Structures are given as C-alpha cells and as structure tokens.
Amino acid sequence: MAKMNPKELLDKSVDAMLSTPNAVVNALDQNGDGELGIEDIIILAVKTPGVHISRAAFLQKELFKNHPQDVIDKAIATTPAQAGISPKEIAKIADNVIALERNCVSGISVALGAPGGWAMAATIPADIVQYYGYTLRATQKLLYLYGFPEIDVGEDGLQLDSETINAIIMCLGVMNGVAGANNAIKGMAKALAIGVEKKLLNMALTKGAFYPLVKSILKWFGIKLTRSVFAGFFKKAIPIVGGVIGGGLTFLAFKPCCYRLKDALQDTMLSNPHHVSTPEEDHIVESICSGEIIDVDIEEENAIHDESFPAL
C-alpha cells in the first residue's frame, strides 16, 4: 500500500472528522456544555492567528498619515473623538475597515499555514472560521475607532474571560439586528465614558443588567449554528490548499452586519462629544450601578433578520 504524504493524511483526517454532525459539534464545543454555540466559535476564532487586533497598533497605523504623534497618542490614551479626529474621518476609516475585511485581505487564511494553523483548520469548518474571524476583526476595529477600550484576550493572546465574550456577543447582536442591542451598546458606552467601575460592568455582563439580552442572542445563534451542522453544511467545506481557504464568506451578509454596528457606535458618549443620552441609556447605566436586571422582551429580542446570518 502506497504511503500518503502529510497533506493527504490531513485531508483524510479532516474528512473523517467532518463525516458526522455530532463529531463536528464535539470538536467545536469549547465551553463543554455539549452544544454548538456562538461562544464556542468566538473562543476558537480568537485562537486563530491574525484575529486579535491591538488597539494601539491599529489606531497608530490608521491615524499616522494625517495626524501628528501627539494627537495619535491622545487618541490611544483616550478616544479618537477626544483627540479631535473628525466624525467624517473616523467614518471613512470605518468604511475602509469594513471593505478590507469583507474582501478577505486580512491574511487570516494565510495564517492558517502558520505553526498550529493546520491543526486549527482541521477542527473548524472553513466557512465558519472565515466568516467569524473576519467579523471579530471588523468588530474590534470599529469598537476602537469609536472609543471603546482594548478587547482583553489574556496575556498569551488566546484567552477570553466571560465578560469579554458577552460584550462581543452583544456586538454580534447589534450586527444581526437584535432589538434592544443598540441601546445596550450605547448604555455600555455611557457607563465607560462616565467611569463606571469595571467590576460593575463585568457583573452587568455576566449576571446583571445585560445578561437577559446576552442569553437571548446566545439562544438564537445556537439554533442557527446547530441547524447549519445538521443541514449538511460541512459536506460543502472547501479543502485548504497552501494555507489559503477558498471562498465561503457570505459577502452579502457581511457588509450590512458591519454597518449596523458602525451606525450604533457613531453616536454614543464615547464617539460623540455632543451626544445626548436617551432615557434608555440612562436606565441601563442606573441598572448597572444598582445591580438590577433590565427587563427584556425575549420574543422581541429574538426578532433577528434571518438574511443577516451567513449562508452556511
């Protein structure tokens, strides 16, 4: 019997692993709850080389062409808005970010050829890692442009705490049209702007004010991801050749999802010095500080546009 080369062995292993939906769910289940959910995809995506974005490095790169270093330093230390960067310029950079990530030029696919990349590719279907990898990159960049702090991925760049995961989930809720998610993001921005303690924000994200909304978004994503598995999506997974994944991104869904988040972030207390808080934002901040739970209409919160979900 002829010996197979390493690439052939990898392809055979991937085919075998992806042959049953249950095997894929088991491989993707990162939080150990026995189900496939967006938390699992976020955790896996962050482990993929190239997904995490350094806030300071990103702002430095985007602003150095048009601004002196002292302005850039202030933007990094505070927010681009506080540094005097115009809303028009920030919006232009945001548009370029969305176009860049949408056109797959971030290098994530190539990074799969780096050490550890092949092993990661063997456990994540190509379409899912591409879509959510690029989505997380775009999310981080938009948050940084509009005044949010660095996404904390731990000292080794590969770990996320529950608070960070839930904050990302809320952003994904905005991107997928979840009713109420916009107000939640704006409320969080106000809390950050007025200096609400990190401890209170973390509590609000994990078991306080924001948690009903997070649970609603989790439920919706869980249903959609599981359906994708059992509908036989993985039979369409595109083989990896030379470290580059071909196709798979749902271009029509990616752009409007990113623009929903951009629209929500453009007018908050972090991004607009003249922002006027709404009663909803004030209520959210009061709930964070008091530890109360925000009332959530679960039926309404689940009204996410199906066409926004990537056509896996």
Side-chain angles (χ1 to χ4, degrees):
M1 183 176 177
K3 293 178 71 174
M4 288 186 289
N5 63 39
K7 176 63 169 59
E8 289 173 328
L9 284 170
L10 173 65
D11 289 341
K12 188 172 181 179
S13 299
V14 173
D15 289 340
M17 189 198 71
L18 299 182
S19 61
T20 64
N22 285 336
V24 176
V25 171
N26 291 336
L28 292 173
D29 183 17
Q30 294 294 294
N31 59 11
D33 63 0
E35 298 178 357
L36 174 58
I38 194 62
E39 289 176 294
D40 302 312
I41 303 302
I42 291 170
I43 294 168
L44 282 168
V46 168
K47 293 178 181 179
T48 304
V51 171
H52 176 242
I53 304 296
S54 163
R55 181 179 182 275
F58 167 68
L59 292 177
Q60 177 73 40
K61 179 181 177 182
E62 294 298 331
L63 300 176
F64 87 97
K65 293 179 182 177
N66 300 317
H67 300 281
Q69 191 59 46
D70 61 324
V71 172
I72 297 172
D73 290 340
K74 185 174 181 180
I76 293 171
T78 57
T79 71
Q82 288 185 48
I85 312 298
S86 72
K88 184 176 180 180
E89 181 177 350
I90 294 173
K92 183 178 179 180
I93 296 172
D95 290 343
N96 290 338
V97 161
I98 294 169
L100 184 73
E101 302 302 336
R102 182 175 182 252
N103 287 317
C104 314
V105 291
S106 62
I108 291 179
S109 298
V110 176
L112 286 172
W118 285 105
M120 187 63 63
T123 60
I124 310 176
D127 294 62
I128 286 184
V129 72
Q130 284 191 90
Y131 189 87
Y132 287 105
Y134 285 106
T135 298
L136 289 177
R137 283 176 57 88
T139 297
Q140 291 170 83
K141 291 179 178 181
L142 291 174
L143 287 172
Y144 300 158
L145 283 171
Y146 290 108
F148 279 74
E150 176 99 21
I151 292 291
D152 185 4
V153 295
E155 293 181 4
D156 56 5
L158 298 177
Q159 296 178 349
L160 290 172
D161 55 30
S162 298
E163 296 86 356
T164 302
I165 291 175
N166 287 350
I168 293 172
I169 288 169
M170 285 214 310
C171 289
L172 291 174
V174 174
M175 298 173 93
N176 286 278
V178 179
N182 278 16
N183 284 334
I185 288 293
K186 290 177 182 292
M188 184 183 293
K190 178 173 181 179
L192 288 165
I194 65 176
V196 170
E197 289 182 27
K198 185 177 180 181
K199 181 173 121 182
L200 291 175
L201 278 173
N202 289 348
M203 188 177 298
L205 282 163
T206 53
K207 56 185 178 181
F210 295 122
Y211 196 53
L213 178 58
V214 170
K215 285 198 299 184
S216 180
I217 299 169
L218 281 171
K219 180 179 178 183
W220 184 83
F221 270 108
I223 293 170
K224 288 295 179 180
L225 288 168
T226 302
R227 280 179 183 170
S228 294
V229 173
F230 288 94
F233 152 70
F234 296 111
K235 294 177 183 177
K236 302 188 297 178
I238 301 170
I240 299 171
V241 180
V244 180
I245 298 176
L249 278 179
T250 308
F251 290 101
L252 294 178
F254 190 88
K255 185 175 180 179
C257 283
C258 289
Y259 272 99
R260 285 190 193 106
L261 181 59
K262 176 193 169 189
D263 290 344
L265 296 174
Q266 278 185 317
D267 186 23
T268 75
M269 282 193 71
L270 289 175
S271 61
N272 177 10
H274 306 294
H275 174 73
V276 177
S277 296
T278 64
E280 290 79 11
E281 291 172 53
D282 295 337
H283 174 58
I284 289 171
V285 173
E286 289 170 6
S287 298
I288 292 171
C289 294
S290 66
E292 295 177 359
I293 303 294
I294 298 173
D295 292 331
V296 177
D297 185 341
I298 298 298
E299 199 170 298
E300 181 185 4
E301 295 298 354
N302 280 327
I304 306 176
H305 305 292
D306 279 354
E307 65 270 19
S308 299
F309 194 78
L312 304 177

